[in-house]
Amino acid sequence: MHAEHPRLLSVDGLSVRFRHHPANIVDDVSFTIGAGETLCIVGESGCGKSLTALALMGLLPKPAAQVAAGRAVFEGEDLVALDESRMSDIRGNRMAMIFQEPMTSLNPAFTVGDQIAEAVRRHRGVDRAAARGRAREMLEQARIPAAEKRLDEYPHQLSGGMRQRAMIAMALANDPALLIADEPTTALDVTIQAQVLRLIRQLQAERGTGLLMITHDLGVVAETADRVAVMYAGRIVEEGPVAAIFDDPQHPYTIGLMGSVPSLGRRSGRLETIPGLVPTPEAMPRGCRFSTRCPFAAAVCAETPALTEIAPGHRVACARAPIELRVAEDAA
Amino acid sequence: MTGAVLETRGLEKRFVTHRPLFGTPTEVHAVNGVDLAIHEGETFAIVGESGCGKSTLARMLIGLIRPSAGQVLYQGREMSGLPQKQMRALRRDLQFIFQDPFSSLNPRMTIGRLVEEPMRAHGIGTPGERRERVGRLLARVGLRPEHADRYPHEFSGGQRQRIGIARALASGPKVLIGDEPVSALDVSIQAQVVNMLEDLKEEFGLTLVVIAHDLAVIRHMSDRVAVMYLGEVVETGPVDAVFDAPAHPYTRALMGAIPVPAPGARDSVAAILEGDVPNPTAPPPGCRFHTRCPFAVARCTRERPALADMGGGRRAACHLRDELPAFDTRAPEPGRTPGAARRFELWRTARSAGQDDRHRKTTQAEETQP
């Protein structure tokens, strides 16, 4: 996998801490993304997936939250160590982000065309006419019908799906090497979601953009990811190629999560559930953070498990992996 | 199934979206001529995308919104014209679960008062009996009786949805209508609530009406389904029949659009529906779906198709329903890989082995939470 994707971003030991909170909300997270590669981070609310993205973009709500440790090397620079002015040069230029709710990143007081053009002028120093031309070109690439007309419309005049496309157009206007997409289709209806996912995939393939996709939807993961990182309570608990994660889930949380999703096929009995609730930062369990909810938990889980390679490219942070072996040992 | 508990006949709702000083007001036909019969003891699902009118329909079913035309019948009695007082009495039997567990609970009321309120409103029991019942209901939905003294903000989304369900059960309803009852929840919490709703349905002999956009949840939970598009029911029938061989092109498109949690399950993207849902203030003439339908012919642009019987309890509103090519089933059953299936077996075994022990831990976890 890595041979065909030259490394674009490598995150190493990233931790994010909130003031007055004892535990790291993002804890010792490491991953890499190659050019043209899609890494999906999947997890439930509060697992730290969005904070990871915001930390990379330098958009953490400061001073409440800050990066406590770690590096994130993107095109030779450590994003964590950059000052705000250098970060502004990179953000929206080499690296861009799209959000779940387009209205949070589109300014309601400016036309769609002006907003895209502004992003182009800020980073490319071209004149107004050229920037507007680029904006139109981007709307066309985002398959927005009547692009010329849309340029002069305000965000509220577009439908939800169109707004999401406009935001994608804006994010890609400067040909970023890395695109971060935080739940880009969660607010959309399924037929529109399918269109937007296809658009993201097509544009990514055309441009060789690296994509960090953050989602809670395992269906979206299966359809977009090259590799998957599963996050739970601030940590990556399992990471590997998409086929390995779905065919050979190793971490008990991954297994429980997949079992919780109803299938589109015929009903096969009750849904699996994961007992209990996600721990709050105030009551984070010692050692493995999933141990309080894990049916396989044992004494050894009181220590923090390291993310260990279990098959080529497939890493899991569980003292009980491989699980078949451990369960058989317990029985013996 | 002993006949229809809830029935709608030619049900319509128009909302005025813009009323100019002069001239005709702009109207949205949110629900347009819906005929449905919901049977006792079944789980009936209404599915569709935003703006299709499913929430409006659900609210009309329990009289929260008055229809512009047509009727809603509860146990054969017409509801639409009932005076407020009799409507109140009816609400005891018909209860609603809202989608958003954050906005549907009054933040100034304790959980105990919230759950007790429907009983007080309907004059059920003495204060002592009510308190006891509140405790039992909270325990039944997986909360602790002590939680009665706390406020909604102290609970997580999943717990609030449980509170909403306890409140809906308080008056001893016969029909529970859930408007996207699990869609705001994380998947693992969603599974807990789905399982709980199924148990409660059995235990209290309820009829469930579930409004949802998540087709997998619908297939899992329901017996029969109605698919809506722009205010109209385009297809209805037993859930397995509709999902295995959807008759209406819109149902097919919906199925085709769902991402399947198994890599490579959908390798072609050819079936993606193009375009947006048309503006509901000016719906297309003829079949409302013809502007996006890959099969549409000239007739579809002129004539509105009726919801016609197809046998086997199925109905579909499509001129071409007998001529469409066969639907190629796409999701590998049961929608997960053999490797994952083996792991679920392990999980299941470990879960049931540690059930008692686990149960203790669960309650502990919930205790520490709020």
Side-chain angles (χ1 to χ4, degrees):
Chain A
M1 194 64 75
H2 282 172
E4 52 184 288
H5 300 290
R7 184 166 297 185
L8 190 61
L9 171 74
S10 68
V11 177
D12 187 19
L14 185 72
S15 295
V16 174
R17 190 175 202 101
F18 269 80
R19 269 204 304 200
H20 314 303
H21 277 290
N24 287 338
I25 310 294
V26 172
D27 190 50
D28 199 13
V29 161
S30 304
F31 58 85
T32 64
I33 298 177
E37 187 184 37
T38 302
L39 173 73
C40 275
I41 299 186
V42 65
E44 299 179 283
S45 326
C47 73
K49 55 190 193 301
S50 294
L51 277 177
T52 303
L54 293 178
L56 295 177
M57 291 294 289
L59 293 174
L60 284 177
K62 280 171 188 159
Q66 52 185 326
V67 173
R71 287 155 53 81
V73 178
F74 171 69
E75 296 191 319
E77 287 177 280
D78 181 6
L79 297 173
V80 170
L82 290 182
D83 60 23
E84 183 50 37
S85 87
R86 179 69 192 131
M87 198 67 216
S88 306
D89 287 341
I90 295 177
R91 204 189 296 133
N93 186 18
R94 299 302 299 152
M95 190 170 139
M97 185 158 175
I98 53 182
F99 298 87
Q100 173 174 343
E101 181 38 70
M103 286 312 274
T104 55
S105 56
L106 291 175
N107 187 329
F110 292 92
T111 64
V112 171
D114 282 349
Q115 295 185 54
I116 301 176
E118 188 207 350
V120 175
R121 295 185 66 203
R122 162 71 177 81
H123 294 292
R124 295 197 169 177
V126 295
D127 65 20
R128 273 174 194 283
R132 185 177 163 92
R134 176 69 179 163
R136 193 191 58 243
E137 190 187 319
M138 287 315 299
L139 290 183
E140 281 163 1
Q141 287 191 28
R143 281 40 159 205
I144 292 182
E148 184 68 40
K149 182 171 150 266
R150 296 292 185 191
L151 280 178
D152 297 318
E153 291 190 345
Y154 290 89
H156 77 268
Q157 293 171 287
L158 306 184
S159 70
M162 283 302 153
R163 267 181 224 155
Q164 201 58 282
R165 285 165 189 266
M167 188 163 65
I168 293 169
M170 186 159 82
L172 294 179
N174 290 317
D175 272 322
L178 177 68
L179 180 66
I180 300 180
D182 188 0
E183 303 268 10
T185 58
T186 305
L188 304 176
D189 279 318
V190 280
T191 58
I192 309 299
Q193 163 172 291
Q195 295 170 2
V196 170
L197 285 179
R198 178 182 59 182
L199 175 70
I200 293 175
R201 274 197 303 263
Q202 283 171 346
L203 292 176
Q204 180 198 13
E206 284 165 25
R207 297 149 173 262
T209 315
L211 176 62
L212 175 62
M213 170 89 95
I214 291 166
T215 180
H216 70 283
D217 185 332
L218 288 168
V220 171
V221 173
E223 292 197 355
T224 53
D226 295 314
R227 286 186 307 122
V228 183
V230 183
M231 280 188 82
Y232 179 79
R235 290 183 184 150
I236 291 180
V237 295
E238 184 162 7
E239 199 246 305
V242 64
I245 298 294
F246 282 91
D247 293 342
D248 183 25
Q250 286 285 346
H251 197 281
Y253 175 65
T254 315
I255 299 170
L257 190 65
M258 287 183 183
S260 304
V261 182
S263 119
L264 249 193
R266 272 181 196 266
R267 184 189 162 103
S268 52
R270 280 167 78 84
L271 294 177
E272 289 308 313
T273 57
I274 302 173
L277 300 166
V278 176
T280 57
E282 291 79 24
M284 210 54 97
R286 250 175 237 282
C288 172
R289 291 180 171 181
F290 187 60
S291 58
T292 49
R293 304 174 72 192
C294 179
F296 303 108
V300 60
C301 303
E303 272 169 53
T304 305
L307 206 50
T308 316
E309 193 156 73
I310 196 158
H314 185 180
R315 300 183 298 159
V316 59
C318 177
R320 306 278 289 153
I323 203 78
E324 272 94 353
L325 211 65
R326 298 289 169 266
V327 169
E329 281 171 8
D330 289 352
Chain B
M1 292 193 194
T2 52
V5 183
L6 269 175
E7 206 181 330
T8 71
R9 290 184 190 158
L11 199 61
E12 285 187 31
K13 182 68 199 183
R14 293 180 296 268
F15 291 110
V16 174
T17 53
H18 177 62
R19 194 186 297 280
L21 198 51
F22 304 104
T24 35
T26 315
E27 283 190 333
V28 180
H29 228 122
V31 172
N32 188 22
V34 167
D35 299 284
L36 285 176
I38 295 158
H39 303 299
E40 189 171 343
E42 74 173 341
T43 301
F44 190 88
I46 302 169
V47 64
E49 297 180 284
S50 16
C52 74
K54 56 191 193 299
S55 294
T56 306
L57 175 61
R59 281 162 175 75
M60 283 195 285
L61 285 179
I62 62 161
L64 281 179
I65 295 180
R66 281 180 184 267
S68 311
Q71 301 171 306
V72 180
L73 291 89
Y74 173 64
Q75 292 182 332
R77 273 189 300 160
E78 191 189 335
M79 242 163 71
S80 325
L82 283 185
Q84 274 298 321
K85 206 165 178 185
Q86 289 181 46
M87 200 55 227
R88 257 178 99 96
L90 253 182
R91 289 233 174 85
R92 200 176 152 167
D93 286 3
L94 303 168
Q95 286 288 328
F96 208 81
I97 306 171
F98 293 90
Q99 168 176 6
D100 183 356
F102 292 86
S103 64
S104 57
L105 300 174
N106 185 339
R108 292 170 183 273
M109 284 167 85
T110 62
I111 301 314
R113 272 194 64 204
L114 279 165
V115 176
E116 190 199 350
E117 197 185 30
M119 290 188 266
R120 270 190 308 173
H122 293 290
I124 301 170
T126 64
E129 285 165 3
R130 291 203 292 258
R131 233 189 333 273
E132 197 203 309
R133 187 167 155 82
V134 166
R136 276 207 311 274
L137 282 168
L138 288 180
R140 185 58 199 83
V141 297
L143 295 167
R144 303 170 62 80
E146 303 92 275
H147 287 157
D149 299 325
R150 300 194 184 164
Y151 288 88
H153 75 266
E154 299 176 69
F155 294 88
S156 68
Q159 287 173 318
R160 280 187 229 200
Q161 201 53 295
R162 288 165 189 266
I163 295 164
I165 292 170
R167 180 171 150 95
L169 288 172
S171 67
K174 298 193 171 70
V175 182
L176 219 50
I177 299 176
D179 185 5
E180 302 272 7
V182 297
S183 58
L185 308 175
D186 272 321
V187 275
S188 71
I189 306 300
Q190 171 176 302
Q192 293 173 1
V193 175
V194 165
N195 285 350
M196 190 180 73
L197 280 173
E198 288 180 347
D199 294 344
L200 292 172
K201 183 189 162 217
E202 284 302 308
E203 200 176 318
F204 294 93
L206 301 169
T207 303
L208 276 184
V209 181
V210 182
I211 318 296
H213 70 277
D214 184 333
L215 288 170
V217 167
I218 293 225
R219 172 143 214 193
H220 182 82
M221 288 186 77
S222 44
D223 302 305
R224 291 195 305 137
V225 60
V227 182
M228 288 186 76
Y229 185 77
L230 272 181
E232 294 176 354
V233 171
V234 296
E235 179 163 8
T236 172
V239 74
D240 282 340
V242 171
F243 275 65
D244 285 344
H248 195 283
Y250 177 63
T251 317
R252 294 177 171 208
L254 265 187
M255 307 264 179
I258 311 266
V260 177
R266 180 171 64 182
D267 37 28
S268 88
V269 286
I272 291 181
L273 202 56
E274 300 298 338
D276 266 329
V277 178
N279 185 349
T281 57
C287 171
R288 291 186 167 192
F289 187 58
H290 83 256
T291 53
R292 301 173 79 194
C293 180
F295 305 105
V297 295
R299 185 184 172 195
C300 307
T301 64
R302 295 187 307 264
E303 238 178 276
R304 182 183 165 192
L307 200 56
D309 202 329
M310 298 180 64
R314 300 188 58 181
R315 292 186 296 160
C318 175
H319 294 306
L320 303 168
R321 65 184 174 278
D322 299 322
E323 297 153 40
L324 293 179
F327 180 72
D328 51 338
T329 39
R330 34 190 292 282
E333 294 196 22
R336 53 177 71 125
T337 59
R342 276 201 309 281
R343 295 279 145 72
F344 297 137
E345 269 322 298
L346 272 180
W347 172 277
R348 217 178 290 241
T349 316
R351 277 274 276 142
S352 53
Q355 203 75 58
D356 299 336
D357 182 41
R358 197 61 44 197
H359 183 69
R360 229 178 310 125
K361 276 191 181 162
T362 309
T363 30
Q364 274 168 5
E366 280 177 351
E367 215 176 332
T368 53
Q369 199 65 178

